[in-house]
Amino acid sequence: MTSMYLDMLAALEASWLGHTGRHSAWLYTIANLLHVLGAAFVVGSIAVFDLKVLAEHGKNAQQVGRYAIPLAAAGVALQIPTGVLLLAVEARALGTNPAFFAKLAFIAIGLVNVALFHARFNINLRAGSLPPEARTYALISLIAWIATLLAGRMIAYL
C-alpha cells in the first residue's frame, strides 16, 4: 500500500468523525443500521429489476425500474455517508482489509454495469422491450451486488 493511502486512512480515523463514531454508541449503531437498510434498498431493488429482465426477457421492465431505480438511489444516498462513518471508526484496519477492497471492486463493477446497461438499452427500456443481450447485464449486476454484500459481511471476519 502506498504511504499516501495509509496516511489518508490514519487522518480519517483521527478526524472528528472517527473520534465521534468511536465514542458514541448511538451514532455508530444508527449508522450501522442505516448502512444495512441502504444495502437492502440497493440490492433488493436492483435484484427485483434484474430478475425481471432475466425471467421475462425485460418485458415491462420499465415499470419495475420506475420504482427500483429511485429506491436503489435512496439506498446509495444512505450508504455513502454511513459507510464513510463506519470506515472512519477503524479506517486503518478496515481500509487495508482484503474484503474491503473486494467490496469496492464489486461496487465498481456494479456501477459500471448499470451505466453501460442504461447507455446501451435506455431506448429499449423506455419502449418496454429489451433485447436478449440485456440479460447478460442483468446477470452481471445480480452477481456483482450479491458479491458486494458478501464482501461487506466478510470485512468483520478478515
Side-chain angles (χ1 to χ4, degrees), residues 47-152:
V48 169
F49 180 82
D50 289 341
L51 290 171
K52 178 77 169 173
V53 173
L54 288 167
E56 297 182 12
H57 304 277
K59 183 178 179 186
N60 299 317
Q62 178 190 14
Q63 294 170 347
V64 173
R66 184 176 296 135
Y67 298 100
I69 293 169
L71 188 57
V76 169
L78 280 173
Q79 286 205 292
I80 291 172
T82 58
V84 170
L85 173 64
L86 296 173
L87 175 62
V89 169
E90 293 185 82
R92 290 178 292 172
L94 298 176
T96 57
N97 187 314
F100 178 72
F101 292 125
K103 179 179 179 179
L104 293 181
F106 289 126
I107 290 170
I109 291 167
L111 292 174
V112 167
N113 186 68
V114 75
L116 292 173
F117 177 90
H118 285 283
R120 184 158 182 208
F121 303 116
N122 194 38
I123 293 169
N124 301 93
L125 182 61
R126 291 184 186 278
S129 176
L130 290 170
E133 57 268 23
R135 296 178 78 210
T136 302
Y137 288 83
L139 183 60
I140 291 169
S141 173
L142 197 56
I143 292 168
W145 293 114
I146 291 171
T148 298
L149 286 179
L150 177 62

